[in-house]
Amino acid sequence: MRLHRLEVEGFGPFRARQFVDFDAFADDGIFLIAGRTGAGKSSILDAVCFGLYGGVPRYDGGEKRVRSDHSDPDEISEVVVEFSTPAGRFRVTRSPEYLRPAKRGGGMTKQAAGVALDEWSDAGWIGRAARAVDVGNELDEILQLSREQFLQVILLAQNRFSEFLLANSKDRQALLRRLFGTERFDDVQARFDARRRAAEQALGTRLATVAARVEEAERLATDAQLWGDAGVGPSEAEGAVAPESASGARAAAAARIDATTEERLDDLRRARSRAEYRSERRAADREDAEARLAAADAALSALREDRRAQAERDRARLALTRLEGEATEISAVAVELREARSAEALRATIIAATKAGASLEAAVELERGARIAWESFDGAELSPTDAEDEAAAMRAWVGERIKAMGSWGRAAELERGAAALAAELQASQDRVAAASARIEAGAAERATLPERVAAVTTARDDARRTADRAADLARVRDLAAGRVAAAREVVRLSAEHEVAEQSLADASAALAAEQAALAGLRRRRLDGFAGELASTLVDGEPCPVCGSAEHPAPATHSDPVSADDIDAAERVRDDAAERERAAAETSSALRAEAAAAASRADGRTVDTAETELAAATEEYAKSVTAADALARLDEELAELRARLEHLEGQRAADDAESASAREQLALLQQRSTDAATQIDDARGEFATVAERIADTEVRIDAARRLAGAIEDRQRRALAAVDAHEEQQAALEASDFTEVEEVEQALRSPAEQDALQRRIDEHAAQLGKEKATLLELELLTLPEEPIDLAPAEQAASSSRASWISAVDVATKAENAALQLTGLIESATAEHAATAEDAAEFEVLRGLADTIAGRGSNTHKMTLETFVLAAELEEIVQAANRRLHDMSTGRYQLKHSDALAARGAASGLGIVVYDAFTGQSRPAQSLSGGETFLSSLALALGLAEVVTSRAGGIRLDTLFIDEGFGSLDGDTLEVAMRTLDELRQGGRTVGVISHVEAMQEQIPAQLLVRATPEGPSIIETR
């Protein structure tokens, strides 16, 4: 992976957009990122990490505040990172979440975080993803490095450089886990622990099941008295129990408590044999009782059948006597049924004659009503005696009237439309009047429009001259506003500068006091060197100054000052100097800002500037008002001219409309005259044509009704005569002489069916009772009732014996079956227990080994074991550089020694010192040695991580760590190592403020804080 370009705006200390071209350092291979403390050197690396991964390592666990505090609310925050991999060249544009002014309604609103990924092609940059999730997935595939891996192999961030070397096993394991993704081995350990617990639980459950089933079987055997001579043996009498049974059962139970499971199962199998023998005995007793019960039930059933036959014989005798007494009544019913069937043949003829007479009477009544309705009309045009065929005469008169009504229909339509015609005539008259009025109004308006056009044109020209000055007046107003702000800034900065000058004076005085105190301590230190040296002299040992073994007059150390006291005073002096420097910078910055503000105010005071601003604002407002009025006047002038053109065109249209309206009015007046003539002719003596037509329609309806009634009465009279003649003929052919006799003999079909059923039922019942009685009389049963009590008592006694035998046999059989089932189940579960125990032992051994328990002497988990292998490879890669960097003195070694008090172990790192031949902790190294060892280990870690990430090529590397702890020789060794990293086209960026490195590395990025606060990036 190679970085090409970085753009930063509104991020960290950078307010304006800054550009970093990493390709410019490709030829040098190494460049320095320099600048004063706090200028923002590390923020360049923060921006790279933020652009690629959306996070900054320095803010992990705290407030993720990457937006620049120097940015105004309406300024953007954005980072653009351009890089390339074997997959292509890409550009990531990312902005954090921040507050900005709302576009509507005032106030602030939250600007959501945004990110976009572009890819370079022959056609230029093309979008590849624009959602955070999609961009993250794409970058994971393109970079093939997680953020932790990126920080460890490409961007060696500040405060993390020596973290890996000096960490304990637990912290080192956490870091290696993130880099190599070994969490899956923790999952393997958890799964094996879960399997061990499950196997242990299953084994315990199975053992408990065996115990429970054996105990249940023993309880069952005890309840059934099946324990050897304490139970019921094969030769024991029915239901007898030996007196010593209770004590024997208790003794057997006590003995079984100490027995093994196999022994208890053997005892239960013997008890099962006794239970099976007892079940067979009880089954034989049950079969005997069942045979005795069957014989007793058969005897009782036979006696009960004879008793029922006696009762049925007596009943049949009584029923036969009753049926023979009903014979006379049944004969009368047969005669009634025969007469009803004869009368049924005449039913239809009689009904037809009756209906014909009733129909004739109804027709005569209908004719009378129709005639009355016809004769009710005054001056009827036709009387019933005018023609011989009265009905035909009526229908002829109706035809004449219908023909006459046909000629009145058109007049009726004209009469109905008279109101509409009158309204149309009035509308035509109104149209003529309206056209005349429009012609007059148009002429009057055309006469006034030229004067209005001239007045609006004059007002429009005046407004235009005023509005043309708007731009100049706006500039004047803006300049006045700037002078007001600058004048106010001068007042504020002057006050702040006075405060800053006072702070500077105080800081200078404090620095002078600390300098004097430090000088006094150094003087006292020099004065007391003799006493300090004398305090170390030992009698008999040579003096380190003169070499004498005698010390006759050693100096005294009356006013001791230690090197620590000097160091503390120097730190206090440095702090005071830093505060003075900061105060001086603040005062200088405020002085420059006040001078710049005074220049912008152009010598105005606040009051003068505000007066000028008010006047400029008023003039500009007038110009804006004139501009608004100009648009309105242009629109009004255009409307007046358009109105004039419209009136000219409307005049010809109004003239044509007036002529058309007058022509239509003449036609409507002619139509009205013709319609009135036709209506008068058709109306006759009636008030309207509609009344005459309605009256004629009523008369026609009455005539039609009378003619129809006459014809219907004539038809029904003929039908009544025919029906009467047919009825007389039917009576003469029957057994009846009068119609009344037939009506008395008639029965409904339901009544006839009821009579027939009664006859049939009597005959059937009589035959049935005779047959029943004959069969029962042949049995020759006694006349006295049979006594069932002795047989019932014998059957009841047999049933009680059988029930008792069944109950005893069932209990014995169930006891044998339950005991067999429990023994078989317990035996099977006991056999499976051995397999579960063996499986549990295997799983427990594996789980303990993986988790670092039991026989695992190094107490290393599976994950620690895997990471230890990775750590050994990392140490080997680091030692290849550390050997040269330390001139063969130091070598890193992986240590799997057990930590004290059960702490995490297996991932230790110790340093082998070739000068002493001993290994010692990494914490014992000096600052420079720690730096070189950390650098070698970091580079070795980067080498292993990249190989695990698919062997990706690292063409860009950053090291953000102070080199100030190195002496000249060690710094030279570090520089040689960095030079070696340039091989193969790699570009190395180093962040440091060490002057020696600035001299040795000519290619530099200088991060400089401006007097206004924000920082800028300059390329050298």
Side-chain angles (χ1 to χ4, degrees), residues 674-704:
D674 295 342
T677 302
Q678 294 184 37
I679 292 170
D680 291 340
D681 293 341
R683 187 166 53 222
E685 299 177 355
F686 291 86
T688 63
V689 178
E691 290 182 4
R692 185 175 185 183
I693 291 175
D695 180 76
T696 303
E697 288 176 346
V698 172
R699 291 174 183 268
I700 290 173
D701 183 63
R704 284 175 172 170

mmCIF file of all heavy atoms in Angstrom, residues 674-704:
data_model
loop_
_atom_site.group_PDB
_atom_site.id
_atom_site.type_symbol
_atom_site.label_atom_id
_atom_site.label_comp_id
_atom_site.label_asym_id
_atom_site.label_seq_id
_atom_site.Cartn_x
_atom_site.Cartn_y
_atom_site.Cartn_z
ATOM 1 N N ASP A 674 -95.978 31.857 -33.492
ATOM 2 C CA ASP A 674 -96.515 30.624 -34.092
ATOM 3 C C ASP A 674 -96.978 29.656 -33.018
ATOM 4 O O ASP A 674 -98.028 28.998 -33.162
ATOM 5 C CB ASP A 674 -95.440 29.967 -34.955
ATOM 6 C CG ASP A 674 -95.065 30.840 -36.169
ATOM 7 O OD1 ASP A 674 -95.853 31.740 -36.495
ATOM 8 O OD2 ASP A 674 -93.982 30.592 -36.741
ATOM 9 N N ALA A 675 -96.268 29.520 -31.945
ATOM 10 C CA ALA A 675 -96.640 28.587 -30.883
ATOM 11 C C ALA A 675 -97.932 28.998 -30.217
ATOM 12 O O ALA A 675 -98.782 28.153 -29.883
ATOM 13 C CB ALA A 675 -95.503 28.528 -29.848
ATOM 14 N N ALA A 676 -98.175 30.256 -30.009
ATOM 15 C CA ALA A 676 -99.410 30.721 -29.367
ATOM 16 C C ALA A 676 -100.636 30.384 -30.213
ATOM 17 O O ALA A 676 -101.692 29.992 -29.699
ATOM 18 C CB ALA A 676 -99.327 32.234 -29.121
ATOM 19 N N THR A 677 -100.504 30.473 -31.536
ATOM 20 C CA THR A 677 -101.635 30.148 -32.441
ATOM 21 C C THR A 677 -101.990 28.667 -32.334
ATOM 22 O O THR A 677 -103.164 28.292 -32.221
ATOM 23 C CB THR A 677 -101.256 30.501 -33.882
ATOM 24 O OG1 THR A 677 -100.924 31.894 -33.945
ATOM 25 C CG2 THR A 677 -102.402 30.205 -34.828
ATOM 26 N N GLN A 678 -101.011 27.753 -32.380
ATOM 27 C CA GLN A 678 -101.302 26.316 -32.306
ATOM 28 C C GLN A 678 -101.900 25.934 -30.949
ATOM 29 O O GLN A 678 -102.796 25.085 -30.883
ATOM 30 C CB GLN A 678 -99.998 25.534 -32.519
ATOM 31 C CG GLN A 678 -99.408 25.674 -33.924
ATOM 32 C CD GLN A 678 -98.167 24.819 -34.124
ATOM 33 O OE1 GLN A 678 -98.105 23.722 -33.604
ATOM 34 N NE2 GLN A 678 -97.215 25.333 -34.892
ATOM 35 N N ILE A 679 -101.480 26.504 -29.904
ATOM 36 C CA ILE A 679 -102.003 26.181 -28.570
ATOM 37 C C ILE A 679 -103.466 26.590 -28.451
ATOM 38 O O ILE A 679 -104.303 25.845 -27.920
ATOM 39 C CB ILE A 679 -101.137 26.863 -27.495
ATOM 40 C CG1 ILE A 679 -99.728 26.221 -27.453
ATOM 41 C CG2 ILE A 679 -101.788 26.755 -26.119
ATOM 42 C CD1 ILE A 679 -98.753 26.975 -26.593
ATOM 43 N N ASP A 680 -103.843 27.728 -28.955
ATOM 44 C CA ASP A 680 -105.247 28.188 -28.878
ATOM 45 C C ASP A 680 -106.166 27.248 -29.639
ATOM 46 O O ASP A 680 -107.296 26.942 -29.202
ATOM 47 C CB ASP A 680 -105.357 29.605 -29.431
ATOM 48 C CG ASP A 680 -104.680 30.626 -28.518
ATOM 49 O OD1 ASP A 680 -104.496 30.285 -27.329
ATOM 50 O OD2 ASP A 680 -104.309 31.718 -28.981
ATOM 51 N N ASP A 681 -105.719 26.738 -30.814
ATOM 52 C CA ASP A 681 -106.551 25.835 -31.615
ATOM 53 C C ASP A 681 -106.768 24.512 -30.895
ATOM 54 O O ASP A 681 -107.872 23.936 -30.954
ATOM 55 C CB ASP A 681 -105.887 25.581 -32.968
ATOM 56 C CG ASP A 681 -105.853 26.855 -33.837
ATOM 57 O OD1 ASP A 681 -106.651 27.776 -33.533
ATOM 58 O OD2 ASP A 681 -105.031 26.906 -34.773
ATOM 59 N N ALA A 682 -105.752 23.978 -30.235
ATOM 60 C CA ALA A 682 -105.862 22.660 -29.604
ATOM 61 C C ALA A 682 -106.525 22.715 -28.237
ATOM 62 O O ALA A 682 -107.023 21.702 -27.745
ATOM 63 C CB ALA A 682 -104.463 22.040 -29.462
ATOM 64 N N ARG A 683 -106.600 23.838 -27.585
ATOM 65 C CA ARG A 683 -107.112 23.921 -26.228
ATOM 66 C C ARG A 683 -108.622 23.775 -26.174
ATOM 67 O O ARG A 683 -109.168 23.180 -25.246
ATOM 68 C CB ARG A 683 -106.666 25.253 -25.614
ATOM 69 C CG ARG A 683 -106.995 25.378 -24.143
ATOM 70 C CD ARG A 683 -106.234 26.539 -23.533
ATOM 71 N NE ARG A 683 -106.457 27.759 -24.274
ATOM 72 C CZ ARG A 683 -105.516 28.646 -24.576
ATOM 73 N NH1 ARG A 683 -104.287 28.416 -24.180
ATOM 74 N NH2 ARG A 683 -105.795 29.733 -25.271
ATOM 75 N N GLY A 684 -109.351 24.283 -27.172
ATOM 76 C CA GLY A 684 -110.812 24.191 -27.173
ATOM 77 C C GLY A 684 -111.411 24.942 -25.994
ATOM 78 O O GLY A 684 -111.059 26.096 -25.729
ATOM 79 N N GLU A 685 -112.343 24.248 -25.273
ATOM 80 C CA GLU A 685 -113.024 24.870 -24.140
ATOM 81 C C GLU A 685 -112.233 24.752 -22.834
ATOM 82 O O GLU A 685 -112.667 25.299 -21.808
ATOM 83 C CB GLU A 685 -114.396 24.211 -23.946
ATOM 84 C CG GLU A 685 -115.316 24.383 -25.160
ATOM 85 C CD GLU A 685 -116.643 23.661 -24.982
ATOM 86 O OE1 GLU A 685 -116.761 22.949 -23.934
ATOM 87 O OE2 GLU A 685 -117.504 23.788 -25.826
ATOM 88 N N PHE A 686 -111.109 23.996 -22.840
ATOM 89 C CA PHE A 686 -110.318 23.780 -21.624
ATOM 90 C C PHE A 686 -109.319 24.917 -21.420
ATOM 91 O O PHE A 686 -109.019 25.658 -22.350
ATOM 92 C CB PHE A 686 -109.577 22.442 -21.704
ATOM 93 C CG PHE A 686 -110.498 21.258 -21.640
ATOM 94 C CD1 PHE A 686 -111.096 20.757 -22.804
ATOM 95 C CD2 PHE A 686 -110.799 20.673 -20.415
ATOM 96 C CE1 PHE A 686 -111.949 19.673 -22.742
ATOM 97 C CE2 PHE A 686 -111.644 19.581 -20.385
ATOM 98 C CZ PHE A 686 -112.231 19.077 -21.533
ATOM 99 N N ALA A 687 -108.854 25.005 -20.182
ATOM 100 C CA ALA A 687 -107.906 26.071 -19.865
ATOM 101 C C ALA A 687 -106.565 25.830 -20.545
ATOM 102 O O ALA A 687 -105.899 26.777 -20.968
ATOM 103 C CB ALA A 687 -107.706 26.160 -18.355
ATOM 104 N N THR A 688 -106.153 24.545 -20.655
ATOM 105 C CA THR A 688 -104.883 24.212 -21.310
ATOM 106 C C THR A 688 -105.083 22.983 -22.178
ATOM 107 O O THR A 688 -106.050 22.232 -22.027
ATOM 108 C CB THR A 688 -103.788 23.888 -20.273
ATOM 109 O OG1 THR A 688 -104.182 22.736 -19.539
ATOM 110 C CG2 THR A 688 -103.569 25.060 -19.322
ATOM 111 N N VAL A 689 -104.142 22.797 -23.096
ATOM 112 C CA VAL A 689 -104.178 21.605 -23.938
ATOM 113 C C VAL A 689 -103.967 20.361 -23.084
ATOM 114 O O VAL A 689 -104.594 19.312 -23.313
ATOM 115 C CB VAL A 689 -103.098 21.715 -25.026
ATOM 116 C CG1 VAL A 689 -103.071 20.455 -25.892
ATOM 117 C CG2 VAL A 689 -103.323 22.935 -25.894
ATOM 118 N N ALA A 690 -103.126 20.442 -22.081
ATOM 119 C CA ALA A 690 -102.852 19.291 -21.226
ATOM 120 C C ALA A 690 -104.107 18.857 -20.475
ATOM 121 O O ALA A 690 -104.361 17.658 -20.314
ATOM 122 C CB ALA A 690 -101.736 19.648 -20.231
ATOM 123 N N GLU A 691 -104.935 19.822 -20.016
ATOM 124 C CA GLU A 691 -106.170 19.464 -19.322
ATOM 125 C C GLU A 691 -107.119 18.741 -20.262
ATOM 126 O O GLU A 691 -107.774 17.769 -19.877
ATOM 127 C CB GLU A 691 -106.833 20.715 -18.753
ATOM 128 C CG GLU A 691 -106.081 21.333 -17.582
ATOM 129 C CD GLU A 691 -106.818 22.534 -17.032
ATOM 130 O OE1 GLU A 691 -107.929 22.817 -17.526
ATOM 131 O OE2 GLU A 691 -106.265 23.201 -16.120
ATOM 132 N N ARG A 692 -107.213 19.193 -21.530
ATOM 133 C CA ARG A 692 -108.114 18.535 -22.495
ATOM 134 C C ARG A 692 -107.647 17.103 -22.775
ATOM 135 O O ARG A 692 -108.460 16.182 -22.837
ATOM 136 C CB ARG A 692 -108.156 19.336 -23.792
ATOM 137 C CG ARG A 692 -109.177 18.783 -24.803
ATOM 138 C CD ARG A 692 -109.303 19.653 -26.020
ATOM 139 N NE ARG A 692 -110.371 19.166 -26.899
ATOM 140 C CZ ARG A 692 -110.684 19.694 -28.075
ATOM 141 N NH1 ARG A 692 -110.005 20.785 -28.521
ATOM 142 N NH2 ARG A 692 -111.667 19.206 -28.801
ATOM 143 N N ILE A 693 -106.311 16.910 -22.929
ATOM 144 C CA ILE A 693 -105.788 15.568 -23.191
ATOM 145 C C ILE A 693 -106.019 14.666 -21.974
ATOM 146 O O ILE A 693 -106.407 13.494 -22.111
ATOM 147 C CB ILE A 693 -104.286 15.662 -23.520
ATOM 148 C CG1 ILE A 693 -104.093 16.351 -24.877
ATOM 149 C CG2 ILE A 693 -103.641 14.283 -23.542
ATOM 150 C CD1 ILE A 693 -102.648 16.607 -25.238
ATOM 151 N N ALA A 694 -105.825 15.177 -20.735
ATOM 152 C CA ALA A 694 -106.019 14.371 -19.536
ATOM 153 C C ALA A 694 -107.473 13.959 -19.395
ATOM 154 O O ALA A 694 -107.777 12.806 -19.043
ATOM 155 C CB ALA A 694 -105.571 15.174 -18.302
ATOM 156 N N ASP A 695 -108.429 14.876 -19.670
ATOM 157 C CA ASP A 695 -109.857 14.547 -19.571
ATOM 158 C C ASP A 695 -110.230 13.466 -20.576
ATOM 159 O O ASP A 695 -110.957 12.517 -20.256
ATOM 160 C CB ASP A 695 -110.693 15.811 -19.797
ATOM 161 C CG ASP A 695 -112.193 15.540 -19.707
ATOM 162 O OD1 ASP A 695 -112.686 15.376 -18.574
ATOM 163 O OD2 ASP A 695 -112.832 15.432 -20.774
ATOM 164 N N THR A 696 -109.709 13.570 -21.785
ATOM 165 C CA THR A 696 -110.021 12.583 -22.824
ATOM 166 C C THR A 696 -109.437 11.224 -22.457
ATOM 167 O O THR A 696 -110.069 10.182 -22.690
ATOM 168 C CB THR A 696 -109.467 13.073 -24.170
ATOM 169 O OG1 THR A 696 -110.013 14.370 -24.461
ATOM 170 C CG2 THR A 696 -109.833 12.116 -25.289
ATOM 171 N N GLU A 697 -108.245 11.213 -21.868
ATOM 172 C CA GLU A 697 -107.626 9.938 -21.473
ATOM 173 C C GLU A 697 -108.449 9.247 -20.399
ATOM 174 O O GLU A 697 -108.611 8.026 -20.410
ATOM 175 C CB GLU A 697 -106.202 10.185 -20.961
ATOM 176 C CG GLU A 697 -105.214 10.540 -22.061
ATOM 177 C CD GLU A 697 -103.864 10.867 -21.510
ATOM 178 O OE1 GLU A 697 -103.769 11.073 -20.279
ATOM 179 O OE2 GLU A 697 -102.878 10.920 -22.295
ATOM 180 N N VAL A 698 -109.039 10.004 -19.443
ATOM 181 C CA VAL A 698 -109.877 9.411 -18.396
ATOM 182 C C VAL A 698 -111.123 8.792 -19.001
ATOM 183 O O VAL A 698 -111.559 7.690 -18.657
ATOM 184 C CB VAL A 698 -110.251 10.479 -17.344
ATOM 185 C CG1 VAL A 698 -111.286 9.927 -16.371
ATOM 186 C CG2 VAL A 698 -109.007 10.917 -16.590
ATOM 187 N N ARG A 699 -111.777 9.491 -19.962
ATOM 188 C CA ARG A 699 -112.979 8.970 -20.622
ATOM 189 C C ARG A 699 -112.656 7.699 -21.415
ATOM 190 O O ARG A 699 -113.435 6.741 -21.424
ATOM 191 C CB ARG A 699 -113.557 10.037 -21.559
ATOM 192 C CG ARG A 699 -114.162 11.235 -20.814
ATOM 193 C CD ARG A 699 -114.592 12.329 -21.813
ATOM 194 N NE ARG A 699 -115.103 13.505 -21.126
ATOM 195 C CZ ARG A 699 -116.402 13.700 -20.840
ATOM 196 N NH1 ARG A 699 -117.278 12.786 -21.194
ATOM 197 N NH2 ARG A 699 -116.797 14.786 -20.195
ATOM 198 N N ILE A 700 -111.514 7.720 -22.138
ATOM 199 C CA ILE A 700 -111.119 6.528 -22.905
ATOM 200 C C ILE A 700 -110.932 5.340 -21.966
ATOM 201 O O ILE A 700 -111.355 4.208 -22.254
ATOM 202 C CB ILE A 700 -109.835 6.826 -23.691
ATOM 203 C CG1 ILE A 700 -110.127 7.806 -24.836
ATOM 204 C CG2 ILE A 700 -109.218 5.548 -24.239
ATOM 205 C CD1 ILE A 700 -108.887 8.278 -25.563
ATOM 206 N N ASP A 701 -110.276 5.546 -20.796
ATOM 207 C CA ASP A 701 -110.056 4.472 -19.832
ATOM 208 C C ASP A 701 -111.382 3.912 -19.332
ATOM 209 O O ASP A 701 -111.551 2.691 -19.217
ATOM 210 C CB ASP A 701 -109.217 4.991 -18.671
ATOM 211 C CG ASP A 701 -108.885 3.896 -17.676
ATOM 212 O OD1 ASP A 701 -108.186 2.938 -18.057
ATOM 213 O OD2 ASP A 701 -109.319 4.003 -16.521
ATOM 214 N N ALA A 702 -112.384 4.806 -19.034
ATOM 215 C CA ALA A 702 -113.691 4.343 -18.565
ATOM 216 C C ALA A 702 -114.414 3.549 -19.637
ATOM 217 O O ALA A 702 -115.038 2.519 -19.352
ATOM 218 C CB ALA A 702 -114.540 5.540 -18.126
ATOM 219 N N ALA A 703 -114.326 3.986 -20.902
ATOM 220 C CA ALA A 703 -114.978 3.266 -22.002
ATOM 221 C C ALA A 703 -114.353 1.886 -22.174
ATOM 222 O O ALA A 703 -115.051 0.886 -22.404
ATOM 223 C CB ALA A 703 -114.872 4.084 -23.286
ATOM 224 N N ARG A 704 -113.033 1.815 -22.090
ATOM 225 C CA ARG A 704 -112.361 0.522 -22.237
ATOM 226 C C ARG A 704 -112.767 -0.429 -21.105
ATOM 227 O O ARG A 704 -112.989 -1.622 -21.327
ATOM 228 C CB ARG A 704 -110.854 0.721 -22.226
ATOM 229 C CG ARG A 704 -110.308 1.283 -23.537
ATOM 230 C CD ARG A 704 -108.836 1.557 -23.412
ATOM 231 N NE ARG A 704 -108.240 1.926 -24.713
ATOM 232 C CZ ARG A 704 -107.018 2.405 -24.856
ATOM 233 N NH1 ARG A 704 -106.271 2.573 -23.768
ATOM 234 N NH2 ARG A 704 -106.571 2.720 -26.053
#
